[in-house]
Amino acid sequence: MSGSTSGKAPKLIPMYGFRMRLEIPSSKACNPTFTGYMKFAEVRNDDESIMRIPIAVASGYWTRAACGFDDFERDKERLAEMVPGTVAPFGAGLIVNYRSLLLTHAAFALAERSVDVLFLTWSTTVIDFMQWVDEEWEALLEGIEKGKLPHFPETEEVHAAIATKFHADPERAEELRKIGPPSGAAIGWAKKTWPSLNSLWVISTGAFERPLPKVRAFVGSDVRIATPGYFCTESPIAGTFGDEAPSLYKVLNDNYIELLEVLGDGEDGAVKQLWEVEYGKLYEPVFTTYDGLWRYRIQDAVQVVGFDPADGAPVLKYKERRNLSIMIPNCTLITSSDITESIADVEGLRHAEFTTFLDDRVVPSTVGFFIETTQTIGTLSSLDRDVIWDALVETNGNFATGAQRGFAIRPTIRILAPGTFAEFRHWRGSLNDSGSSQIKVPLITLDLRSQEFFLGKVIDEVH
């Protein structure tokens, strides 16, 4: 197993057992998780024999292992085998192309009226799912009507096998035509499409909280929105505290968890045991694991917002990545928390997906926003740049000082073409052969290739 939580090169870490199991009772789930292997490593044994070790995204391996598909040598012969509790065969999870993966699973899910659970990984995955189902609506319905699984790009290796599990259902196709695509429903499209739907499992904390109103509209008011918990590749950290508070997590004791103080200036404080932490303060989880990690840091900042009355375990709320920031020359560091607070009073950004970077087109440089155009983004104006500026001055003392000295100017806002963020996730998945796994639009984009991608999608700017 490898982890790259620090944002640097992956670190090889041994994992000696599969412990992270998510048991959710379901008879018909839609779970478009990429479960393929990215590549294989060859290890030469002492007797000169060679062992092939598959390399995969951890979430994909955990998913397939939990369903009994961890024997990678038999992947090709098991393509058409149904995954227990889901609507799609095993081969559908091996599709690397992110868009095709979602759409192929959507085809199987739409054909099955009794779907009761949706697993869509991130809140932003829900947005991509809706958009692409809209775009391919007629092709999906025609496939269900005639029993021909739509052939989306880069599915050649699995299509023939998994298509054998796709059957004609003209009545279901007609039912879906009357419901219409996601964009045609004001609220509750998913519940209308799948009357038995009871829960949507999706990560919706931190930066993923913003799309929640759209996600709620997608499923309707009666469907539970749940999150799997607070995990990283190297260890589970916390489980969901309760359905009423999906963004709060209770610390687990599977491994030895400690919390490192995050001081007011962003520096490290003392390492605290769970019974020593204080309400309202920020900490970074640090854990020692059964697999051999000792006081391993993950660079997340969390806030203690309470304690479980049953056993006193701390209840956490995710705040930000500690190592994610923009350095404005001669001025200050702008953290992801600063960014989040700066747009709190900008109505057009409150629930919008966006990213930021260092805009150095002029001197002095400043914080640059990339916003994807939607129906609500049209309300953004030059006044919103002033609101963001005022908030940064208020929340970041060094930025305020830099502004007084002329080292900081108003943040910029550039508008991206519709569908840019979905296209970005597709592009990133293709780059690293990871399918839909771990594809996120960061709050602050530091990678130059990603910045170039967004710059190529700009269609307007707020002046």
Side-chain angles (χ1 to χ4, degrees):
M1 179 192 72
S2 70
S4 53
T5 50
S6 66
K8 300 178 182 178
K11 304 168 286 295
L12 295 178
I13 301 165
M15 179 175 281
Y16 297 103
F18 175 67
R19 299 189 186 93
M20 300 172 74
R21 296 187 182 275
L22 181 63
E23 296 183 4
I24 303 168
S26 168
S27 57
K28 294 290 182 181
C30 173
N31 183 10
T33 299
F34 174 66
T35 55
Y37 292 121
M38 299 156 64
K39 57 185 178 180
F40 291 85
E42 293 189 348
V43 179
R44 188 177 299 276
N45 298 319
D46 292 338
D47 60 1
E48 297 302 311
S49 63
I50 295 178
M51 176 185 296
R52 294 177 73 232
I53 300 176
I55 298 175
V57 175
S59 57
Y61 172 74
W62 294 331
T63 298
R64 62 184 286 156
C67 298
F69 288 86
D70 50 349
D71 181 4
F72 69 91
E73 299 286 1
R74 297 182 55 215
D75 276 6
K76 289 186 178 180
E77 66 186 71
R78 302 183 72 182
L79 295 177
E81 189 174 327
M82 296 303 296
V83 179
T86 70
V87 296
F90 170 66
L94 303 184
I95 298 171
V96 177
N97 184 300
Y98 174 44
R99 186 176 188 273
S100 296
L101 176 101
L102 282 187
L103 285 169
T104 300
H105 280 82
F108 280 99
L110 288 170
E112 178 54 68
R113 192 175 189 272
S114 61
V115 166
D116 55 4
V117 175
L118 297 176
F119 292 87
L120 290 175
T121 313
W122 316 99
S123 60
T124 51
T125 311
V126 178
I127 309 303
D128 297 344
F129 184 88
M130 294 167 59
Q131 175 184 323
W132 290 334
V133 167
D134 257 12
E135 293 174 0
E136 301 290 347
W137 183 247
E138 287 304 321
L140 290 165
L141 265 57
E142 183 179 350
I144 294 170
E145 182 178 25
K146 298 179 179 180
K148 291 189 63 177
L149 178 67
H151 197 155
F152 298 111
E154 299 178 58
T155 61
E156 291 77 13
E157 293 186 0
V158 303
H159 185 270
I162 65 177
T164 63
K165 301 297 183 181
F166 197 78
H167 306 294
D169 191 341
E171 292 184 6
R172 176 60 176 165
E174 183 58 29
E175 180 183 22
L176 291 170
R177 279 198 176 87
K178 291 178 180 178
I179 295 171
S183 61
I187 191 169
W189 177 85
K191 186 65 175 179
K192 296 172 185 175
T193 301
W194 300 290
S196 299
L197 186 67
N198 58 66
S199 57
L200 165 68
W201 286 80
V202 62
I203 295 171
S204 56
T205 56
F208 296 101
E209 283 189 78
R210 283 191 300 277
L212 268 180
K214 289 184 180 179
V215 173
R216 174 51 71 190
F218 169 70
V219 296
S221 59
D222 298 333
V223 175
R224 172 193 180 207
I225 297 179
T227 185
Y230 177 22
F231 303 101
C232 66
T233 301
E234 299 83 358
S235 174
I237 301 170
T240 306
F241 186 57
D243 290 348
E244 296 77 17
S247 62
L248 302 184
Y249 303 103
K250 173 186 173 180
V251 175
L252 300 172
N253 58 5
D254 292 39
N255 289 299
Y256 187 65
I257 308 290
E258 299 172 291
L259 294 173
L260 174 67
E261 287 181 313
V262 179
L263 303 180
D265 56 2
E267 296 297 316
D268 296 341
V271 175
K272 299 291 186 179
Q273 303 306 312
L274 296 183
W275 57 88
E276 296 177 317
V277 299
E278 298 179 45
Y279 173 81
K281 288 192 173 182
L282 291 181
Y283 298 89
E284 177 186 336
V286 178
F287 48 77
T288 300
T289 72
Y290 293 104
D291 295 317
L293 297 177
W294 184 77
R295 283 192 165 172
Y296 186 86
R297 298 181 58 174
I298 62 170
Q299 297 293 323
D300 281 351
V302 298
Q303 185 177 27
V304 175
V305 295
F307 302 89
D308 188 341
D311 58 11
V315 176
L316 311 175
K317 183 176 178 63
Y318 180 88
K319 296 297 289 185
E320 63 178 336
R321 291 288 293 167
R322 294 192 68 190
N323 61 343
L324 200 60
S325 58
I326 297 173
M327 169 57 81
I328 300 180
N330 302 314
C331 185
T332 188
L333 275 175
I334 301 294
T335 68
S336 55
S337 182
D338 292 334
I339 297 293
T340 301
E341 293 182 32
S342 73
I343 56 96
D345 294 325
V346 179
E347 184 62 33
L349 293 180
R350 187 162 297 167
H351 302 302
E353 188 176 9
F354 67 87
T355 188
T356 59
F357 80 121
L358 179 68
D359 188 346
D360 57 1
R361 288 177 294 176
V362 298
V363 177
S365 51
T366 188
V367 179
F369 284 75
F370 285 129
I371 321 289
E372 182 179 318
T373 183
T374 65
Q375 292 179 347
T376 60
I377 295 305
T379 62
L380 289 173
S381 69
S382 180
L383 292 177
D384 293 313
R385 295 178 60 197
D386 294 331
V387 171
I388 297 172
W389 163 270
D390 291 341
L392 286 174
V393 168
E394 180 70 24
T395 60
N396 189 311
N398 289 332
F399 184 85
T401 301
Q404 291 177 346
R405 298 170 59 195
F407 292 136
I409 60 175
R410 287 195 309 164
T412 60
I413 302 176
R414 279 184 271 189
I415 308 300
L416 304 176
T420 292
F421 289 125
E423 189 177 343
F424 172 80
R425 286 183 279 269
H426 181 133
W427 172 71
R428 289 297 301 182
S430 299
L431 279 184
N432 57 20
D433 291 331
S434 64
S436 62
S437 304
Q438 299 300 318
I439 302 177
K440 315 167 194 173
V441 176
L443 198 63
I444 297 174
T445 297
L446 301 177
D447 175 61
L448 293 179
R449 292 182 67 181
S450 297
Q451 291 179 12
E452 291 172 1
F453 179 93
F454 291 126
L455 287 168
K457 302 295 181 179
V458 173
I459 59 173
D460 200 1
E461 183 166 0
V462 177
H463 295 289

